[in-house]
Amino acid sequence: MILKLNRTRVAIYLIWVVAALFTSTQLYLKTLDANGTDSWGKLFFIQFLVWNIWGALSPLIFWLGKRFRIDRQTYYRGLLIHLVFAVVIVIAYLALYSIIWNFLGIGSFSRQTFTTYFKVFFLNLFHWHFFIYMAIIGLAHAIQYQKELKQRQEESIELERQLLISELNTLKAQLSPHFLFNTINNVVSTIEQGKNDVASGMLIRLGEFLRICLEESKHKLIPLRKELDHIRKYLEIEQFRNDDLQVIIRSEKEHESVMVPSFILQPIVENAIKHGISKSNIANRIEIGSELKQGFLKLFVYNEGPGLANEMNRNKGIGVDNTVTRLKKLYGKRGHLELFSVNDGVMVEIRIPLQ
């Protein structure tokens, strides 16, 4: 990083050296044409000092470019501010140019000669150096945009990695031997009882759920409608294993087109059954719903069973941790998950910003 920064500074410094070479050579040729006596070395030294004023001003201009951005939100304000700064800085630059030329060009300094050369420089050079200021501002913006683009790319790569890990962990939970073995044992038991239609229904739903797991795990976001369909199929399998399980899903049609992270509810629902309903003989109800409020979609999962006071590790499971990580990576601070006890059970609320 330090080496890259030094290379950038050297490159900027060389720009001003090349500019000094160019302008000093041009002035020298003009003096030869006018039978002047100034040497090329003298002119180069003056131009080298003059152009290095821009070199000294560049960090300040870069800071101004970062402090007062010209983008969609601040286009007119930012442009106006930099027009003012350009005029002020160029006038100051031409004043310094006049002082250097008085001392080194003609070998003396007086108010009259300063005023004379300042007028000449202002009338002949102001517009060129005005564009130099704007070019530096453009370069500052380009470098800043490049840094931001690289940062977004790195964040995107990290997000992809986290999503992949989260999806793999979700699939592990969905395809866990405990879940599959229990389902298969229930199918075998049902067949032995002669309930072939029920066993077929379980296998069909299990197959549909596994197919959905493989297909939808490729997508970051899916409509809420699909997410609720996945949860219904998962809970239908759980209902075969637990006849007393009551499932209530409430969702308005206007909510169902909102895009949500795929399988965002499944680990929460699985937690609700594993740590809530299965821990109590009288707990059998799980509710899932959604609400649009103040620019957010709120998803909630409620289950009967022990509260958080009796299940202190409820908020430390892989499912909840992965969900929190996914929300943070996708939405930053605007994505949120909250877990709390309510009405002889536990409520999980997930807040997703509308995009």
Side-chain angles (χ1 to χ4, degrees):
M1 182 67 183
I2 295 175
L3 181 60
K4 185 176 180 181
L5 182 62
N6 289 337
R7 286 179 178 177
T8 302
R9 289 178 176 175
V10 170
I12 293 173
Y13 175 76
L14 288 176
I15 290 174
W16 305 125
V17 173
V18 171
L21 287 169
F22 178 81
T23 54
S24 60
T25 302
Q26 186 182 38
L27 287 173
Y28 178 68
L29 293 175
K30 284 183 178 181
T31 58
L32 285 180
D33 187 57
N35 297 319
T37 59
D38 290 331
S39 67
W40 181 86
K42 175 183 176 181
L43 293 173
F44 173 75
F45 182 64
I46 293 172
Q47 291 299 308
F48 179 78
L49 293 178
V50 167
W51 282 107
N52 270 278
I53 295 173
W54 278 119
L57 290 172
S58 292
L60 170 63
I61 299 173
F62 268 71
W63 180 84
L64 291 173
K66 186 176 181 180
R67 176 64 178 81
F68 303 102
R69 294 283 293 270
I70 302 175
D71 51 31
R72 289 183 179 181
Q73 290 75 25
T74 61
Y75 180 81
Y76 294 106
R77 176 177 174 271
L79 187 60
L80 179 61
I81 288 173
H82 285 294
L83 287 175
V84 173
F85 278 129
V87 171
V88 172
I89 288 177
V90 171
I91 288 175
Y93 166 81
L94 294 176
L96 289 173
Y97 193 168
S98 302
I99 293 172
I100 291 173
W101 189 260
N102 271 258
F103 279 109
L104 300 180
I106 61 177
S108 63
F109 179 83
S110 67
R111 182 174 181 180
Q112 182 179 357
T113 56
F114 170 80
T115 303
T116 300
Y117 278 103
F118 179 79
K119 287 180 179 179
V120 172
F121 291 153
F122 182 84
L123 293 174
N124 290 278
L125 300 177
F126 177 84
H127 57 294
W128 291 112
H129 290 284
F130 178 87
F131 286 117
I132 288 174
Y133 173 91
M134 299 308 291
I136 296 173
I137 284 295
L139 179 62
H141 278 69
I143 293 174
Q144 187 64 26
Y145 288 143
Q146 185 182 29
K147 288 181 179 179
E148 292 174 356
L149 177 61
K150 184 178 180 181
Q151 183 179 354
R152 286 195 295 268
Q153 289 174 340
E154 291 175 352
E155 290 176 352
S156 177
I157 292 172
E158 177 64 16
L159 175 60
E160 291 287 349
R161 189 182 72 84
Q162 290 291 338
L163 286 176
L164 179 60
I165 293 173
S166 180
E167 288 166 359
L168 290 174
N169 285 331
T170 301
L171 285 174
K172 286 180 182 179
Q174 293 161 355
L175 302 178
S176 63
H178 182 269
F179 169 74
L180 285 176
F181 290 160
N182 281 345
T183 303
I184 292 171
N185 287 335
N186 284 339
V187 170
V188 172
S189 176
T190 303
I191 293 174
E192 290 175 349
Q193 295 173 18
K195 300 177 182 179
N196 294 336
D197 291 341
V198 175
S200 296
M202 291 179 67
L203 288 175
I204 290 171
R205 285 165 176 77
L206 179 61
E208 290 176 349
F209 183 71
L210 296 178
R211 176 180 57 80
I212 289 170
C213 291
L214 295 175
E215 290 179 357
E216 298 300 339
S217 63
K218 302 173 185 177
H219 303 292
K220 295 180 188 176
L221 301 174
I222 59 174
L224 177 60
R225 178 185 66 258
K226 280 191 175 183
E227 180 70 11
L228 293 178
D229 287 342
H230 303 165
I231 288 300
R232 287 188 182 96
K233 287 181 171 57
Y234 173 79
L235 288 172
E236 284 173 1
I237 298 172
E238 292 291 344
Q239 284 178 313
F240 276 110
R241 296 167 54 189
N242 181 0
D243 294 336
D244 296 327
L245 180 63
Q246 299 177 15
V247 177
I248 302 172
I249 298 179
R250 299 188 180 94
S251 179
E252 301 292 335
K253 282 190 175 181
E254 60 183 294
H255 304 174
E256 294 183 352
S257 61
V258 177
M259 302 299 286
V260 301
S262 60
F263 294 110
I264 196 71
L265 290 175
Q266 195 277 335
I268 305 301
V269 172
E270 185 174 358
N271 254 19
I273 293 173
K274 180 179 179 181
H275 296 286
I277 292 174
S278 65
K279 299 293 184 179
S280 172
N281 294 328
I282 60 174
N284 56 20
R285 181 163 57 92
I286 184 169
E287 296 185 23
I288 302 169
S290 63
E291 178 184 11
L292 285 176
K293 190 174 182 181
Q294 297 178 346
F296 290 89
L297 174 69
K298 287 188 177 181
L299 303 176
F300 66 85
V301 177
Y302 166 76
N303 66 270
E304 293 180 334
L308 294 180
N310 298 323
E311 281 287 323
M312 293 303 295
N313 292 326
R314 285 286 298 277
N315 60 340
K316 298 180 181 178
I318 293 176
V320 172
D321 286 345
N322 284 344
T323 302
V324 171
T325 300
R326 291 183 68 190
L327 290 171
K328 181 179 179 181
K329 292 294 182 181
L330 281 169
Y331 308 110
K333 293 182 179 180
R334 296 192 301 161
H336 184 69
L337 183 146
E338 188 173 359
L339 193 71
F340 51 89
S341 298
V342 59
N343 296 336
D344 297 324
V346 174
M347 175 78 79
V348 177
E349 285 190 0
I350 299 173
R351 186 178 67 182
I352 297 174
L354 300 178
Q355 295 180 330

